[in-house]
Amino acid sequence: MTWSRLDATVSGGAVELDVQGRVGWIEGDDILIATTTRSSGETERRTVLSTRYIQKPLSEGGEWLTRVAVTVPLSYTHLAVTELHNGHVLDMRAEVAVVNRPNIQIAGVDNLAFGQNWRFRSMRLMFGGAHVVASG
């Protein structure tokens, strides 16, 4: 798996974060932790030190998560929360993705059914964080 979401909010200064599922990341992988604020500068790039799988208690659903240790403490808080709005659950969790694997492919949609207002969006690394580019 090349990306996941945080399982729990992680604070600035943390050197471990829990992501949903069994991701299979390895020591030396570079990961991006997406910002959960309006500032793209709070997207962080870190190197994986180690990982281990943890199963939640059955009383909490029994799902698997991966605890990821990173080589440098996080600088910012990254949220993993859900809120209920008008009967709909809004899942607001930072995405975490591996960015240095040679087999990662990023693909767009080639379909005109979306109409003239459709835009292609991509994320690219820039000094100080990730930047979303819209074109089309």
Side-chain angles (χ1 to χ4, degrees):
M1 182 181 308
T2 57
W3 74 278
S4 184
R5 290 187 172 96
L6 285 179
D7 186 67
T9 296
V10 62
S11 298
V15 292
E16 289 186 331
L17 51 133
D18 293 340
V19 296
Q20 297 176 332
R22 296 175 71 158
V23 294
W25 302 341
I26 58 174
E27 179 182 351
D29 279 344
D30 287 334
I31 59 173
L32 276 185
I33 305 100
T35 183
T36 51
T37 69
R38 293 181 182 193
S39 173
S40 64
E42 292 187 15
T43 295
E44 301 188 67
R45 186 174 185 153
R46 293 292 183 269
T47 301
V48 173
L49 178 63
S50 64
T51 61
R52 65 184 168 113
Y53 300 132
I54 299 171
Q55 187 174 20
K56 288 185 175 183
L58 291 178
S59 61
E60 296 178 25
E63 294 96 358
W64 285 93
L65 58 89
T66 303
R67 180 153 296 153
V68 180
V70 293
T71 57
V72 176
L74 297 176
S75 299
Y76 305 101
T77 295
H78 299 272
L79 300 179
V81 297
T82 56
E83 293 181 359
L84 187 62
H85 293 275
N86 296 326
H88 300 280
V89 175
L90 180 59
D91 193 355
M92 299 178 293
R93 299 174 184 275
E95 294 90 357
V96 183
V98 172
V99 294
N100 67 322
R101 295 277 181 97
N103 60 351
I104 294 175
Q105 293 183 340
I106 300 174
V109 176
D110 187 16
N111 187 335
L112 296 178
F114 291 106
Q116 292 182 339
N117 293 328
W118 182 80
R119 291 174 166 229
F120 177 76
R121 294 196 170 135
S122 64
M123 188 186 328
R124 62 183 163 151
L125 290 176
M126 297 183 71
F127 184 76
H131 179 70
V132 176
V133 178
S135 62

